[in-house]
Amino acid sequence: MAMARARGTGPVVPAEQGRTQFDLDESQIPRAWYNIKADLPVPQPPALHPRTLQPLTDDFLQPLFPPGLLEHENTSERYVEIPEPIRDVYRLWRPTPLRRAVRLERLLDTPAHIYYKYEGASPAGSHKLNAAVPQAFFNKQAGTKALVTGTGAGQWGTAMAMACGFFDLPLEVFMVRVSHAQKPYRRIAMEHFGAQVHASPTTLTGAGRAVLARSPGHPGSLGLTLSETLETVRASGGAKKYAAGSGLAHVLMHQTVIGQEALLQMEMAGEYPDFVIACAGGGSNFGGFAFPFLHRNLTGAAQAKIIAVEPASCPTMTRGTYAFDWADVAGDAPVVKMHTLGHSFVPAEIHAGGLRYHGMAASVSALVEHGDVEARAVQQLETFAAAVQWSKAEGIIPAPESAHAIRVAIDEALKCKETGQKKVIAFNLSGHGHFDMAAFNAYHRGELRDDDYPAEKVRDALASLPHPPDDQP
Ligand SMILES: Cc1ncc(COP(=O)(O)O)c(C=O)c1O
């Protein structure tokens, strides 16, 4: 989609001339986060208490979060100012680059223009640091003594460990056991910044012990790290609080610096995307990149096709049910209306550990359900093939999670080759894969496989969904 006029900095060099870099300066780091709640076309049902199944009240959330974050979780203001001390830390890596992948375009022989925002440029290696820094800041400000969190592949844990390092806060991390084994350097990186890391399930919590008693070789899951985290926070008598890596409204909002910068950078490129693509685990990467574009869709300013990509082995949005479910395994976390595979569902041990979550952020689910966002599922092998093709053209080794977005970007570019249409594709390259070399090693040796849709496991897990009294089918 060509743009009539650009508002960003610098002269517009038409994309035809092959310009590939669209850099902002640090004065253009956003001054406010964007809150999709202000523009949601459908009401988002309130989260419920895990036991009573009544709407959640602040006395449930207050022990978990400091006032600043609670306010962000609850607000419906469209824009929320970013405190200067946070912008100051953002300056370590923001604004991140937006590039046009001309070498990939040539390799694919496509008339499409492919742009990518590169969040792997953050010192933590992914988008996760955008949300980790505000959480460390508001907790420090409120006098929190220590933070506890859960992590899948370790990208969130690394970012949170780094952010806690910036604000001098101790951090305890429950890391999904299979990723703990697959990615030892992620654990070491977290420890480097002073965090204490446990392979979950652990024997430290009742939730972990219960799972180990049933299944001693349990690989762990993001839902279980959340159960172990919440139990640890509640047992601390108020000393510790919970840092959420994804899913919650404030986490998605804090990530919207990505899409806001990307909007400006697309203006510099003189084009507007026909496709906006990002992978989704709990939804914060997708929301961070796509929501500012979606704001333009929802307000009639533009029309891009917005695509959230997930693994076929954990197909929350494409095969899950839109229903109330617990956000964690043990049933201690809020009950949220979302796309879910069932809170007891244990995804296959795929290498995109950050996408192995049974649920999805409530806002993303509502938008998928309402038809504002299209969800797509891709298989592991085609995703790794796209990652390798990408690396050979553009030089970056992507995180396996990010490679899901690359797969769909390439698919759309190849469709353009067939039809001759010159579409503009923008996707978020959410992280680099430098700690994922064991996964690439397995791929190159032919040891990775695709996992089928786990129909039986999903059916079993969905049998134990909660039934809130007021839930209308
Ligand atoms: C590199 C990368 N991209 C994307 C994701 C998915 O992020 P989200 O859970 O915010 O959807 C993750 C999650 O760990 C990740 O590590």
Side-chain angles (χ1 to χ4, degrees):
M1 210 183 279
M3 282 195 46
R5 196 171 55 83
R7 174 165 64 77
T9 56
V12 174
V13 176
E16 299 309 334
Q17 289 178 20
R19 186 175 168 193
T20 59
Q21 307 194 6
F22 305 94
D23 291 334
L24 301 173
D25 67 57
E26 64 183 49
S27 71
Q28 293 168 298
I29 296 171
R31 295 185 182 275
W33 292 294
Y34 166 62
N35 184 8
I36 191 87
K37 253 190 224 169
D39 292 317
L40 276 183
V42 274
Q44 202 181 292
L48 307 177
H49 189 282
R51 306 255 184 276
T52 65
L53 302 186
Q54 294 301 317
L56 212 57
T57 49
D58 272 359
D59 54 330
F60 180 90
L61 295 171
Q62 264 157 4
L64 303 178
F65 302 107
L69 294 178
L70 260 186
E71 203 181 308
H72 289 184
E73 188 59 27
N74 292 328
T75 183
S76 294
E77 288 294 313
R78 181 169 287 109
Y79 290 101
V80 173
E81 190 182 337
I82 305 176
E84 266 317 302
I86 295 176
R87 285 187 84 241
D88 189 51
V89 183
Y90 277 170
R91 286 191 304 156
L92 285 174
W93 74 99
R94 304 216 70 82
T96 56
L98 181 112
R99 302 267 186 270
R100 189 176 145 205
V102 283
R103 289 177 52 83
L104 180 71
E105 292 168 14
R106 278 185 222 137
L107 185 82
L108 299 175
D109 191 22
T110 175
H113 287 183
I114 305 172
Y115 292 85
Y116 67 102
K117 181 79 169 152
Y118 188 41
E119 289 298 304
S122 95
S126 79
H127 68 292
K128 295 287 185 183
L129 201 54
N130 300 321
V133 170
Q135 293 193 36
F137 170 79
F138 283 110
N139 272 289
K140 186 70 183 180
Q141 194 188 49
T144 303
K145 295 283 176 290
L147 284 171
V148 189
T149 197
T151 193
Q155 294 266 24
W156 167 251
T158 307
M160 204 57 229
M162 192 178 282
C164 283
F166 293 150
F167 291 96
D168 193 23
L169 267 172
L171 175 70
E172 203 173 331
V173 184
F174 289 92
M175 182 175 188
V176 171
R177 181 192 270 180
V178 60
S179 293
H180 190 270
Q182 285 168 346
K183 297 168 209 258
Y185 292 115
R186 275 278 165 214
R187 170 182 57 76
I188 297 166
M190 289 182 253
E191 290 171 351
H192 181 82
F193 287 101
Q196 190 187 6
V197 185
H198 313 292
S200 166
T202 71
T203 53
L204 299 171
T205 66
R209 287 190 295 272
V211 165
L212 287 173
R214 280 198 306 275
S215 166
H218 197 287
S221 69
L222 276 166
L224 183 56
T225 66
L226 177 53
S227 299
E228 295 214 82
T229 298
L230 293 180
E231 194 177 325
T232 307
V233 169
R234 288 184 181 126
S236 76
K240 300 177 182 176
K241 292 210 184 288
Y242 161 49
S246 192
L248 295 182
H250 68 274
V251 188
L252 272 67
M253 185 175 82
H254 293 160
Q255 290 291 352
T256 58
V257 287
I258 308 171
Q260 291 186 74
E261 286 178 7
L263 270 173
L264 275 183
Q265 288 163 306
M266 288 305 303
E267 287 184 17
M268 288 172 75
E271 300 204 280
Y272 193 82
D274 297 291
F275 295 94
V276 172
I277 302 167
C279 68
S284 81
N285 169 60
F286 171 77
F289 183 59
F291 282 179
F293 289 94
L294 203 49
H295 167 68
R296 305 199 75 216
N297 277 9
L298 295 172
T299 54
Q303 273 312 317
K305 191 183 235 328
I306 314 262
I307 305 175
V309 193
E310 64 184 6
S313 59
C314 189
T316 316
M317 295 173 288
T318 49
R319 309 291 285 267
T321 300
Y322 186 53
F324 278 99
D325 197 7
W326 285 281
D328 73 327
V329 167
D332 291 331
V335 167
V336 180
K337 182 103 182 222
M338 60 181 174
H339 285 94
T340 180
L341 297 166
H343 60 281
S344 61
F345 173 74
V346 182
E349 295 171 27
I350 56 165
H351 279 275
L355 307 183
R356 288 178 74 245
Y357 181 54
H358 69 272
M360 184 51 61
S363 56
V364 176
S365 289
L367 289 158
V368 169
E369 195 63 15
H370 190 246
D372 301 293
V373 169
E374 179 187 328
R376 278 197 208 168
V378 294
Q379 280 286 6
Q380 180 158 255
L381 290 179
E382 59 175 344
T383 300
F384 273 77
V388 172
Q389 195 171 28
W390 169 263
S391 299
K392 285 183 174 163
E394 297 293 328
I396 294 170
I397 299 176
E401 291 84 359
S402 319
H404 286 68
I406 297 176
R407 175 71 267 161
V408 171
I410 290 178
D411 288 346
E412 288 303 330
L414 290 175
K415 279 184 207 159
C416 289
K417 183 179 175 177
E418 273 172 33
T419 61
Q421 283 179 302
K422 205 174 103 182
K423 300 276 185 187
V424 177
I425 299 166
F427 75 91
N428 194 33
L429 212 178
S430 50
H432 68 63
H434 297 175
F435 288 99
D436 299 284
M437 297 321 294
F440 285 104
N441 186 42
Y443 174 70
H444 289 299
R445 277 166 179 61
E447 292 161 12
L448 288 195
R449 61 184 165 85
D450 286 340
D451 286 286
D452 289 333
Y453 169 59
E456 244 170 66
K457 282 166 71 183
V458 172
R459 198 193 53 221
D460 291 351
L462 288 176
S464 55
L465 290 184
H467 297 291
D470 294 336
D471 189 23
Q472 302 296 327

